[in-house]
Amino acid sequence: MADLQALTDERAVINLATQYCWTLDNREFEDLHTVFLPDAYAFLGETECNGIEAIIRRISTALTPLDASQHLIGSHDVGLDGDRATHRCYLQAQHVRHGAEGGALWMVGGMYEDRLVRTTDGWRIEHRILSRIWTDGNPAVVAPELRETR
């Protein structure tokens, strides 16, 4: 029975990571309350976010000006320890803003590294780090205040 619980928990953690991507790309930012703990910490693209409201503000500021985005994740690695878990996965994120000077596409390849907690409402992320591995395209596609300067 413990093996079944481990498989169920692993699937739930991966589903939560997938839900995050769908939430971003469908611009359903308030649904991030079902992904993160209220006091979660996230380091997203050079920005530290303390608490779910800061996370929502950072993500919505970056994605709202876009015409489209697509966040793809894979190569999931889940570690379980009772009511706590770790998760990491690779990501590729495409950001599109038509008419942006210099081109309409900005791509980011990287990795999410998460710590999660089981709550009465299911698994929630308490700590997330986005590490960029590579970028390609026009950084001016994303909001100017979030543009990478390297």
Side-chain angles (χ1 to χ4, degrees):
M1 188 66 164
D3 289 337
L4 179 58
Q5 184 62 53
L7 289 171
T8 301
D9 286 341
E10 181 178 293
R11 186 75 248 165
V13 167
I14 293 170
N15 285 348
L16 188 67
T18 302
Q19 178 187 343
Y20 171 84
C21 295
W22 282 99
T23 299
L24 268 56
D25 295 335
N26 288 315
R27 310 297 190 266
E28 296 167 343
F29 304 120
E30 288 303 312
D31 288 351
L32 290 170
H33 286 278
T34 65
V35 174
F36 291 93
L37 290 174
D39 61 348
Y41 170 86
F43 185 77
L44 304 170
E46 313 297 326
T47 304
E48 287 191 65
C49 304
N50 290 296
I52 184 61
E53 297 308 324
I55 293 168
I56 291 172
R57 189 169 39 256
R58 163 61 174 86
I59 291 170
S60 64
T61 298
L63 297 181
T64 298
L66 302 179
D67 293 305
S69 66
Q70 186 180 54
H71 291 74
L72 305 174
I73 55 175
S75 300
H76 297 275
D77 180 30
V78 177
L80 299 169
D81 184 15
D83 290 337
R84 303 192 68 74
T86 58
H87 168 259
R88 64 183 176 169
C89 65
Y90 289 118
L91 78 127
Q92 287 188 14
Q94 298 181 57
H95 308 86
V96 178
R97 191 170 70 187
H98 299 295
E101 186 175 333
L105 181 64
W106 171 244
M107 293 184 62
V108 175
M111 182 171 54
Y112 290 124
E113 295 179 272
D114 304 323
R115 292 194 316 252
L116 302 95
V117 176
R118 185 195 322 265
T119 72
T120 56
D121 295 319
W123 290 97
R124 297 293 183 265
I125 298 171
E126 70 173 344
H127 188 271
R128 166 163 275 190
I129 302 292
L130 164 60
S131 300
R132 289 184 183 157
I133 298 171
W134 59 267
T135 61
D136 190 25
N138 180 13
V141 166
V142 295
E145 63 273 18
L146 302 174
R147 196 174 306 150
E148 186 173 81
T149 57
R150 334 182 203 145

